Amino acid sequence: MAADGAVEPGPPAAVAAPSSAPARAPASGRLFRPISAEDEEQQPTEIESLCMNCFRNGMTRLLLTKIPFFREIIVSSFSCEHCGWDNTEIQSAGRIQDQGVRYTLTVRTPEDMNREVVKTDSATTRIPELDFEIPAFSQKGALTTVEGLISRAVSGLEQDQPTRRANEDAIAERIDEFIVKLKELKQVASPFTLIIDDPSGNSFVENPHAPRKDDALVITHYNRTLQQEEMLGLQAEAPEEKPEEEDLRNEVLQFNTNCPECNAPAQTNMKLVQIPHFKEVIIMATNCENCGHRTNEVKSGGAVEPLGTRITLHITDPSDMTRDLLKSETCSVEIPELEFELGMAVLGGKFTTLEGLLKDIRELVTKNPFTLGDSSNPGHTEKLQEFSQKLDQVRRLWLVSTCGPGAPVNRRPHSLSCYLLNI
């Protein structure tokens, strides 16, 4: 077999019907033996087959061998003694590797031209200095050398030159100039780079210093792309389609419930709201059309914070009563001037204003039958009535200062909690 191990493309050989010529079996022992010229027992298997050039019988030889520091391959060679046609190619005897491989060889000396190269059908060969590329699946696989790869490329370009000179002389002249540049590479007058990129991972470039590192050879393994998977005939796994997440920030969800006062059917509205400079909260509001009862509740839309928070507000101006206020279920409220303290989970979570919170506290005191009803303790009743009067006094002072004589009625800011209750 020639050093380049490859010839010009042509019609392949086809196996003919069984003939009287027996096939020569390989020597006994291991099926794949390391390739070596000194191994006399390693003989190819010969099969008589049909020549697709002259349609007469030729001979196909198959050699199962192993490349040192690489893997097993099948070398096939066909020759026809009638018309002289011959063809040589290789096939990987293993599976397609999990990753692709890229060999980058810097050719500096004539010895580098003699390195063994296994190039599969799916490998792409490039020489960046000449802007030259041999695409994948444009040539059969070959067991050759670096010089053989260049000779094979030269033979492929020279094959159709007579036709080009007759039809397109300008293009033929440029190709002739390029062929001269390729032939000059064999002299290694200056270093050049040879890149073999094989998505199947079955190509190989010899390291003459193995198992030591070769400074002139860089081997890169990479994950194949979906296009490369399809090119190799592999069934690429389709990316999982993530379900589209429904954006609930611009929607008001409604579900049926019963009124907590009259137990009549009612609707509860729920909305996810982003509080500026704070976090997301879930606001739920119920409006009963039967008795007119309205409630609102706020729940946190995020995780529990690692630290608690204490907020102290000094009310010095009537406008402080219009501040937006978010009270969680685990929040307690204290008013030292009124000697009042509200425990956790009493009013639930609320998103309202300071005025609205005071109003809810008053209703909690006055509408509870156990505090101001017939079953209440007279001593406790007097204290709660006094506390209720103080709350009313605070609210009246705020109303007079904001909507008193001479003040415009629309001066009072719109309450966000009232707007949310009317969703």
Side-chain angles (χ1 to χ4, degrees):
M1 184 172 60
D4 59 10
V7 296
E8 295 82 356
V15 177
S19 63
S20 58
R24 186 188 303 172
S28 60
R30 290 176 295 175
L31 187 61
F32 291 90
R33 302 168 66 93
I35 187 170
S36 174
E38 300 177 357
D39 189 357
E40 297 180 356
E41 295 183 359
Q42 187 181 33
Q43 298 294 331
T45 301
E46 296 182 352
I47 304 174
E48 188 174 353
S49 54
L50 180 67
C51 175
M52 299 304 295
N53 190 37
C54 65
F55 299 102
R56 301 175 73 176
N57 284 345
M59 188 64 67
T60 296
R61 296 173 177 83
L62 299 177
L63 179 64
L64 281 64
T65 186
K66 182 178 180 181
I67 304 295
F69 304 102
F70 186 50
R71 56 177 63 91
E72 297 84 0
I73 63 170
I74 301 174
V75 182
S76 63
S77 175
F78 174 80
S79 61
C80 179
E81 60 181 6
H82 303 287
C83 66
W85 166 253
D86 59 0
N87 184 29
T88 303
E89 62 181 80
I90 70 158
Q91 293 180 352
S92 174
R95 62 181 180 86
I96 295 177
Q97 304 304 309
D98 295 332
Q99 290 182 314
V101 65
R102 182 184 300 109
Y103 291 90
T104 303
L105 174 65
T106 303
V107 181
R108 299 188 179 95
T109 63
E111 287 76 14
D112 292 332
M113 300 294 291
N114 296 326
R115 292 180 185 240
E116 286 186 354
V117 175
V118 176
K119 177 185 174 299
T120 63
D121 301 358
S122 58
T124 300
T125 305
R126 293 195 298 271
I127 302 177
E129 286 79 2
L130 299 183
D131 197 17
F132 176 68
E133 178 176 333
I134 302 175
F137 298 103
S138 61
Q139 291 180 344
K140 291 291 185 179
L143 173 59
T144 179
T145 62
V146 175
E147 182 180 1
L149 281 179
I150 298 175
S151 299
R152 191 180 191 189
V154 171
S155 299
L157 292 174
E158 289 178 342
Q159 183 177 6
D160 295 330
Q161 278 296 86
T163 305
R164 293 192 190 97
R165 291 190 183 95
N167 299 329
E168 298 175 346
D169 187 60
I171 295 178
E173 288 181 2
R174 289 200 296 268
I175 293 178
D176 285 335
E177 294 175 359
F178 190 82
I179 291 175
V180 172
K181 294 180 181 179
L182 283 176
K183 291 181 178 180
E184 289 176 353
L185 293 180
K186 297 181 182 181
Q187 308 302 324
V188 197
S190 60
F192 66 93
T193 306
L194 176 68
I195 300 175
I196 297 179
D197 191 340
D198 186 4
S200 70
N202 288 325
S203 291
F204 172 75
V205 176
E206 179 191 10
N207 175 10
H209 310 292
R212 292 179 298 170
K213 181 182 178 181
D214 188 357
D215 296 333
L217 182 63
V218 178
I219 305 175
T220 306
H221 296 274
Y222 60 89
N223 295 324
R224 288 185 287 267
T225 63
L226 291 177
Q227 291 78 8
Q228 290 172 334
E229 295 272 359
E230 295 176 358
M231 181 182 68
L232 295 175
L234 300 177
Q235 184 177 0
E237 296 182 0
E240 297 181 359
E241 296 183 359
K242 295 183 179 180
E244 295 183 359
E245 297 182 358
E246 187 176 0
D247 189 7
L248 302 179
R249 292 177 177 81
N250 299 324
E251 286 192 30
V252 177
L253 304 180
Q254 294 183 344
F255 54 92
N256 296 326
T257 183
N258 291 334
C259 175
E261 292 291 330
C262 64
N263 203 30
Q267 277 193 340
T268 297
N269 300 326
M270 182 175 68
K271 192 175 189 300
L272 186 65
V273 178
Q274 175 68 44
I275 304 297
H277 310 292
F278 188 54
K279 60 175 67 175
E280 289 183 340
V281 296
I282 301 174
I283 299 180
M284 304 174 65
T286 303
N287 183 13
C288 179
E289 297 180 356
N290 185 41
C291 66
H293 177 72
R294 293 184 177 185
T295 60
N296 75 85
E297 187 176 359
V298 177
K299 295 184 179 296
S300 175
V304 177
E305 298 294 335
L307 298 176
T309 303
R310 177 184 292 125
I311 301 174
T312 302
L313 174 64
H314 297 282
I315 303 172
T316 58
D317 189 85
S319 61
D320 292 335
M321 300 292 288
T322 62
R323 289 177 182 247
D324 289 333
L325 183 145
L326 176 62
K327 175 189 174 300
S328 67
E329 296 177 339
T330 58
C331 175
S332 60
V333 180
E334 182 179 356
I335 306 177
E337 288 79 3
L338 300 181
E339 298 180 357
F340 172 76
E341 183 175 353
L342 180 69
M344 295 187 299
V346 177
L347 287 176
K350 285 188 175 294
F351 184 33
T352 177
T353 59
L354 185 57
E355 180 202 6
L357 180 63
L358 295 178
K359 181 180 178 182
D360 291 337
I361 293 174
R362 184 184 181 282
E363 290 180 354
L364 178 66
V365 173
T366 57
K367 292 187 177 182
N368 191 339
F370 295 99
T371 56
L372 296 180
D374 296 336
S375 60
S376 61
N377 190 331
H380 291 168
T381 301
E382 292 179 0
K383 293 182 179 179
L384 291 175
Q385 286 179 347
E386 182 181 358
F387 172 74
S388 178
Q389 291 174 0
K390 290 181 180 179
L391 282 181
D392 291 339
Q393 183 180 5
V394 171
R395 294 180 63 245
R396 280 197 301 268
L397 289 174
W398 175 71
L399 288 173
V400 169
S401 60
T402 56
C403 299
V409 178
N410 61 354
R411 181 178 174 185
R412 177 182 175 183
H414 177 67
S415 175
L416 181 60
S417 60
C418 294
Y419 171 75
L420 293 173
L421 286 173
N422 292 325
I423 293 176

